[in-house]
Amino acid sequence: GRSATRLWYVLHAYGHSRFSLVNGGWQRWKAEQRPESRETPRIAPATFRPRLTPELTCPSSEILARKPGVVLLDTRTGMEYQG
């Protein structure tokens, strides 16, 4: 859903490249009979140092200037937009 897409964008915009999203969610995963496990994986601790990816962000000054070629997608719900 929207939250997963937002997480994908934020991770990507801050330079994290080792992540995946399940297209279609858990129900699709199961419907395609993909492997499942209840085991908890052992993951080594790591440190993430974010670095901004400028081509994936747009400063508010560019939005306000309404530059050609700049597309702004507002994905808030109506309730979120109205406050």
Side-chain angles (χ1 to χ4, degrees), residues 32-70:
E32 292 176 352
Q33 299 180 347
R34 295 180 178 265
E36 300 174 32
S37 173
R38 293 191 182 270
E39 293 179 30
T40 303
R42 292 182 187 222
I43 300 171
T47 301
F48 174 63
R49 291 183 176 77
R51 64 184 192 292
L52 189 59
T53 307
E55 60 270 15
L56 294 179
T57 59
C58 183
S60 58
S61 58
E62 286 187 28
I63 294 169
L64 294 172
R66 299 176 192 237
K67 290 185 176 183
V70 174

Side-chain angles (χ1 to χ4, degrees), residues 21-35:
L21 290 179
V22 177
N23 186 3
W26 181 247
Q27 295 305 318
R28 182 171 174 183
W29 184 273
K30 289 178 69 172
E32 292 176 352
Q33 299 180 347
R34 295 180 178 265

Side-chain angles (χ1 to χ4, degrees), residues 63-77:
I63 294 169
L64 294 172
R66 299 176 192 237
K67 290 185 176 183
V70 174
V71 177
L72 177 66
L73 298 177
D74 187 343
T75 63
R76 295 175 290 179
T77 65

